[in-house]
Amino acid sequence: MMTKVLFFLMAPLAIWGHDLMPVPAKIALGQGRLRIDGNFRVELTGYREARLEEAAARLTENMSRSTGIPMRPGASPAALLVHCERASAAVQAAREDESYRLVVTPQQARLDAANPLGVLRGMETFLQMVDLDAGGFGVTAAEIADQPRFQWRGLMLDVARHWMPLDAVKRTLDGMAAVKLNVFHWHLSDNQGFRVESQRFPKLAGMGSDGHYFTQEQVREVIAYARGRGIRVIPEFDMPGHATAWFVGYPELASGPGPYTIEREWGVFDPAMDPTREETYKFLDTFIGEMAALFPDAYFHIGGDEVNGKQWDANPRIQEFKRAHGWTNKEKSNEELQAYFTRRVQTLVRKHGKKMIGWDEVLTPDLPRDVLVQSWRGQKSLAAAARQGVDGILSHGYYLDLMYSAADHYAADPLGDGASDLNEEQRQRILGGEAAIWSEYVTPELLDARVWPRMAAIAERLWSRQDVTDVADMYRRLDVVSRELEWLGLTHVSQYEKMLERLADGGPVAPVRTLAEVVEGVKEYAREEVLKYTSFTPLNRLVDTARPESQVARQFAVLVEARDVAKMREWLTRWRDNDARLAPVEASSELLADDAEISRELSAVAAAGLQALDYIQAGQHAPAEWTERQTALLEQAKKPKGVLLLSVEPPVRKLVELAK
Ligand code: ACM
């Protein structure tokens, strides 16, 4: 068959020539195109279930929306013929076959998969293949044989710090499905909110959520929605720390006297569950039992991170408990106490039929093997877990809220350097990774812009072959996927536009955009050091509007590398002149009040860049005194201005150096 010949001829790492993200395991592009028009129709054969019918309808609808072509119902020959062998597991499991094979010819496309998960993945690939050329919409002929590198490809969403309503969750799932992610980790409780209804303990959400929580009906709706897209749903209830919201309704769970109110600030706080009282475990037994029945996934996340131990140290009874157990080393005794708590909770989780997941801190030398460790602190603990025979997933390097670039995330690999001295069996223990979006600085309107499109780069790291590492090509495809995601209902582009308009308050948007495009928020946890934020601090300023990663700065750096003087001049001139254009808008919009300094700095830095170009073009060396002054200016520009960074400083510095 043609199939075999094509694969035989195919180089293992062909020049891409496609826009797919994640890159499939094997792809060979052929000749000609399958046209997409109003007669597009999907036909299902083999094993059938409602999920597949719905996926076919959704594919057609998404195709129609992104192309603007109304699809004609009826009996036209199928453009996409889908064959599914058999059912997948009743509750989606970690180790399921997600492979598929997709063959597109100018006459028809054919998608084959062992089970519905492979069909879902293949349909997303097919949708991504639709593009426009001079002949109209179509799909270039190709043969794809694809399967994921890692079985665990997730996103953790924090709905506690800022509440994220049902529609935000659903569109997040839509985006996840588009890039073939398969685990939605739902961080449902923290100091600032308890976000799910408990019928056994109604005061958890009743008093701990400001009324912002998911009913059990809504939880079931999310689980069904996720299953329809081949995504597992894992709840996280963070304990024994990060648990203030539990204590508002049930102060007896805490290690200090209370009373407690919902936490309104960000950070690590003292309240922690009392690991010494049997009543704590009785409560957790009932609670975990209720939630284990609500959430069908085999795994159950108990958090376990960042216990500062202060309430434990301040409680004489807890001190006595530790002494009685022989945990007397001042440095270690709270860790030992937490390990005791973890073991007790793990017994309950197991009793209710689940495998426990915890953050790094739960990893102790005697941790039972039927636990999974999620590493936020680094790859080391993942390797340590693997050596102990404990499964792990990587989140360190995938924290989207830390505002790193897509390239930074792309470079993090669950089996990277930290895993290099593991043997094969130990490597198998590293199941994959999860991105995380903690929501201290994320509201529902900001969610998509904080997750997308960078999430797609992480999704590729987790799905595609380890040797798929071309950063420039990643960025090229990321731009394409970003536009596609917006067509699926994500709002990272459209919301950005709305926020720019809000900043401009009816005035000209262009100068606001020019500034917004070249600034970034400060990285990691620096924002909380600049300003005291609370749950109610407005997140509507330039730092919130600006993208985590300046595309313009990245593109400008490419122009510098290419010595594209004409285009550099265009940008630099616009930036130099922007401060004067922005001034009247700043004068009338309080939201821009903090931005005067960085706006002036942009103009000054751009002026330096233009002078550097003058020297370069004149073939002159810039005088040492000039270089010194510009270097001082750039040193100043490099420093954060409040919560903002000027992201074109590095490429302009390069120009100044070139002019020397
Ligand atoms: C964490 O970031 N504390 C899990």
Side-chain angles (χ1 to χ4, degrees):
M1 270 270 303
M2 195 180 73
T3 316
K4 288 208 179 101
V5 174
L6 267 174
F7 275 124
F8 185 70
L9 293 174
M10 193 175 63
L13 266 177
I15 300 297
W16 303 124
H18 66 75
D19 297 334
L20 298 177
M21 194 163 204
V23 168
K26 284 185 185 165
I27 176 165
L29 296 175
Q31 293 295 316
R33 277 164 72 81
L34 173 68
R35 214 176 140 200
I36 299 292
D37 60 19
N39 292 316
F40 176 79
R41 202 169 65 76
V42 183
E43 188 175 315
L44 301 172
T45 65
Y47 169 75
R48 301 285 282 267
E49 65 178 29
R51 174 163 62 159
L52 290 173
E53 314 277 347
E54 286 157 17
R58 198 164 61 240
L59 173 62
T60 309
E61 192 185 308
N62 284 332
M63 185 96 73
S64 177
R65 180 167 349 119
S66 62
T67 59
I69 302 171
M71 297 298 172
R72 199 189 307 271
S76 52
L80 176 63
L81 194 62
V82 177
H83 184 79
C84 182
E85 281 296 321
R86 56 181 175 274
S88 51
V91 173
Q92 191 175 325
R95 292 170 206 273
E96 282 198 74
D97 188 350
E98 295 175 273
S99 68
Y100 66 92
R101 189 174 179 82
L102 178 61
V103 179
V104 182
T105 71
Q107 289 73 44
Q108 194 178 49
R110 191 184 157 108
L111 169 61
D112 284 278
N115 70 46
L117 296 175
V119 173
L120 292 169
R121 307 298 174 238
M123 282 183 173
E124 297 295 348
T125 301
F126 186 77
L127 184 62
Q128 280 194 355
M129 291 173 85
V130 177
D131 63 5
L132 180 64
D133 72 3
F137 283 102
V139 176
T140 298
E143 297 209 17
I144 292 174
D146 199 9
Q147 80 270 327
R149 177 173 165 224
F150 291 108
Q151 61 186 272
W152 197 297
R153 308 177 308 278
L155 170 62
M156 188 224 72
L157 173 63
D158 171 10
V159 298
R161 271 49 178 274
H162 281 104
W163 164 241
M164 301 289 162
L166 192 58
D167 66 321
V169 171
K170 285 187 173 173
R171 57 174 203 271
T172 301
L173 290 165
D174 290 337
M176 289 176 66
V179 294
K180 302 181 171 65
L181 293 171
N182 65 0
V183 179
F184 176 61
H185 166 175
W186 209 352
H187 185 79
L188 282 163
S189 72
D190 214 298
N191 299 309
Q192 297 81 358
F194 193 99
R195 304 294 187 197
V196 73
E197 173 193 16
S198 165
Q199 288 164 357
R200 304 300 300 272
F201 300 107
K203 287 190 286 185
L204 284 171
M207 294 177 71
S209 76
D210 302 306
H212 286 146
Y213 63 91
F214 299 97
T215 64
Q216 297 201 354
E217 197 49 47
Q218 288 172 325
V219 168
R220 282 188 281 270
E221 191 179 332
V222 167
I223 291 167
Y225 195 90
R227 179 170 170 79
R229 287 153 183 76
I231 298 170
R232 302 160 49 206
V233 178
I234 297 176
E236 178 187 351
F237 298 98
D238 211 341
M239 60 182 89
H242 282 285
T244 308
W246 302 59
F247 307 149
V248 183
Y250 300 94
E252 64 275 18
L253 291 172
S255 304
Y260 295 89
T261 55
I262 295 172
E263 183 57 59
R264 305 302 185 185
E265 296 183 359
W266 312 139
V268 174
F269 299 94
D270 300 347
M273 287 180 188
D274 187 339
T276 67
R277 293 175 70 239
E278 283 309 304
E279 290 82 352
T280 303
Y281 301 106
K282 236 185 190 157
F283 184 106
L284 289 175
D285 187 7
T286 305
F287 175 76
I288 293 170
E290 182 186 11
M291 292 301 138
L294 179 62
F295 291 90
D297 198 84
Y299 287 82
F300 194 93
H301 204 310
I302 58 99
D305 56 322
E306 296 185 309
V307 184
N308 72 12
K310 287 188 187 168
Q311 273 201 340
W312 293 348
D313 292 339
N315 182 323
R317 203 172 30 73
I318 294 176
Q319 290 301 308
E320 180 45 43
F321 186 90
K322 288 198 287 187
R323 269 192 297 277
H325 281 78
W327 304 325
T328 49
N329 179 317
K330 193 157 167 30
E331 303 293 304
K332 295 210 115 171
S333 65
N334 282 337
E335 278 172 35
E336 286 168 316
L337 182 59
Q338 185 175 349
Y340 167 83
F341 174 84
T342 304
R343 280 194 301 276
R344 295 287 307 266
V345 172
Q346 199 254 340
T347 307
L348 300 176
V349 170
R350 186 194 283 147
K351 170 183 156 188
H352 294 291
K354 306 286 185 186
K355 283 185 204 157
M356 190 183 92
I357 310 179
W359 297 103
D360 307 53
E361 288 93 325
V362 304
L363 183 65
T364 52
D366 57 350
L367 190 68
R369 287 184 173 206
D370 59 336
V371 169
L372 184 142
V373 170
Q374 178 165 16
S375 172
W376 70 283
R377 297 198 296 197
Q379 252 168 348
K380 258 189 173 160
S381 49
L382 217 52
R387 280 193 202 93
Q388 258 174 252
V390 172
D391 287 348
I393 54 172
L394 183 68
S395 282
H396 178 80
Y398 300 141
Y399 268 29
L400 293 162
D401 52 300
L402 299 188
M403 311 292 270
Y404 293 127
S405 68
D408 286 337
H409 293 309
Y410 201 55
D413 192 309
L415 289 173
D417 292 343
S420 55
D421 55 351
L422 297 182
N423 66 32
E424 191 46 39
E425 192 213 321
Q426 290 162 345
R427 290 167 74 84
Q428 294 292 329
R429 296 261 170 225
I430 296 175
L431 306 187
E434 281 187 9
I437 182 71
W438 300 100
S439 63
E440 285 92 339
Y441 302 99
V442 186
T443 53
E445 76 164 21
L446 281 168
L447 175 63
D448 299 4
R450 291 295 168 262
V451 174
W452 309 102
R454 291 176 303 153
M455 178 76 246
I458 301 172
E460 175 156 292
R461 177 57 50 238
L462 297 174
W463 176 282
S464 303
R465 290 164 41 161
Q466 188 166 19
D467 56 3
V468 176
T469 51
D470 181 333
V471 171
D473 194 66
M474 178 275 285
Y475 275 117
R476 181 186 65 75
R477 288 175 295 109
L478 196 63
D479 284 347
V480 178
V481 167
S482 176
R483 291 196 296 275
E484 290 168 354
L485 288 164
E486 190 76 20
W487 281 111
L488 290 175
L490 276 303
T491 62
H492 51 295
V493 180
S494 49
Q495 193 61 38
Y496 175 72
E497 297 298 325
K498 283 156 82 174
M499 291 184 74
L500 286 177
E501 292 196 5
R502 180 163 63 200
L503 290 175
D505 188 35
V509 174
V512 181
R513 181 193 304 279
T514 296
L515 182 60
E517 276 177 347
V518 296
V519 298
E520 294 173 10
V522 288
K523 309 291 157 183
E524 302 186 337
Y525 300 102
R527 198 164 166 180
E528 62 203 32
E529 283 153 29
V530 177
L531 247 168
K532 187 92 191 153
Y533 283 87
T534 76
S535 310
F536 306 113
T537 305
L539 297 179
N540 56 7
R541 304 180 88 84
L542 189 61
V543 63
D544 304 298
T545 306
R547 297 190 173 97
E549 177 180 11
S550 164
Q551 293 171 341
V552 168
R554 182 164 51 78
Q555 286 157 3
F556 188 77
V558 173
L559 298 181
V560 175
E561 285 308 311
R563 309 285 192 268
D564 189 335
V565 171
K567 287 218 178 89
M568 280 192 272
R569 254 187 208 289
E570 228 173 89
W571 277 115
L572 290 166
T573 307
R574 184 186 308 172
W575 296 337
R576 184 198 57 197
D577 299 343
N578 197 60
D579 190 48
R581 296 204 178 106
L582 188 66
V585 194
E586 273 173 354
S588 71
S589 168
E590 188 269 337
L591 298 184
L592 291 168
D594 324 323
D595 307 331
E597 191 184 356
I598 201 159
S599 173
R600 272 201 308 275
E601 203 151 63
L602 172 64
S603 290
V605 163
L610 284 167
Q611 286 166 10
L613 281 185
D614 289 342
Y615 286 121
I616 292 166
Q617 278 190 294
Q620 295 172 351
H621 291 290
E625 182 268 337
W626 178 88
T627 306
E628 220 167 273
R629 257 189 297 125
Q630 310 317 311
T631 307
L633 170 79
L634 290 164
E635 274 308 300
Q636 188 54 33
K638 198 173 159 180
K639 294 180 190 154
K641 300 288 139 1
V643 290
L644 290 168
L645 294 167
L646 187 59
S647 37
V648 290
E649 179 272 327
V652 172
R653 184 183 291 262
K654 185 90 194 274
L655 274 186
V656 168
E657 275 161 19
L658 287 172
K660 267 191 206 170

